[in-house]
Amino acid sequence: EHKAENKSSAIFNVWRGLDGTRGMQYSRSIKLPGNFQDRLFNCWFTWDHWIEDGQKVYIIAFCPMSEYMGTPHRVNGDESMVLSTTRGLHLLKE
C-alpha cells in the first residue's frame, strides 16, 4: 500500500497486486472549491501486453472499484465525500 498527502488530495492510496493479480486499486479524493462536496475516485486498474509488428503493445484499463469482482480495500475518511466514477482504456506502443 502506498499513501501520500498533498494540498489538493486528502486521500491518496494505491494497493498493488489485488488478490494476487496484476490489478491495482487507486483511491484519490479531490477537494473542490466553494461549497462543493469533495469527490472520491476509487478505481480498479489492470493491464496486459503483447507483441505486434515487432513492438510491445500495452493495454491499460480502469473502471470503478464497484465493478471489481474480488476483494477491494476499504478507504478510510471517505464518509463525507461523494463517490465519483471514471473509466477508460489506453493503448501504448513502444
Side-chain angles (χ1 to χ4, degrees):
E1 175 186 3
H2 169 77
K3 289 187 177 187
E5 233 179 279
N6 63 39
K7 294 178 193 173
S8 64
S9 175
I11 296 174
F12 177 38
N13 295 317
V14 177
W15 291 274
R16 291 177 173 82
L18 292 178
D19 297 317
T21 70
R22 62 180 149 221
M24 177 177 78
Q25 179 177 344
Y26 177 88
S27 302
R28 179 158 187 190
S29 66
I30 304 295
K31 183 164 183 58
L32 298 176
N35 293 328
F36 292 104
Q37 198 170 358
D38 293 346
R39 304 291 193 248
L40 176 68
F41 291 89
N42 200 15
C43 300
W44 171 46
F45 283 75
T46 192
W47 63 274
D48 201 358
H49 72 281
W50 62 90
I51 303 295
E52 183 178 290
D53 299 326
Q55 292 183 301
K56 275 190 181 178
V57 178
Y58 292 89
I59 184 171
I60 303 167
F62 56 96
C63 66
M65 275 307 293
S66 59
E67 295 182 22
Y68 177 63
M69 303 308 273
T71 308
H73 292 273
R74 175 80 173 106
V75 177
N76 294 323
D78 65 345
E79 300 81 15
S80 64
M81 297 182 187
V82 174
L83 185 60
S84 297
T85 61
T86 185
R87 67 182 71 241
L89 180 75
H90 296 280
L91 288 172
L92 307 168
K93 195 177 239 187
E94 287 187 334

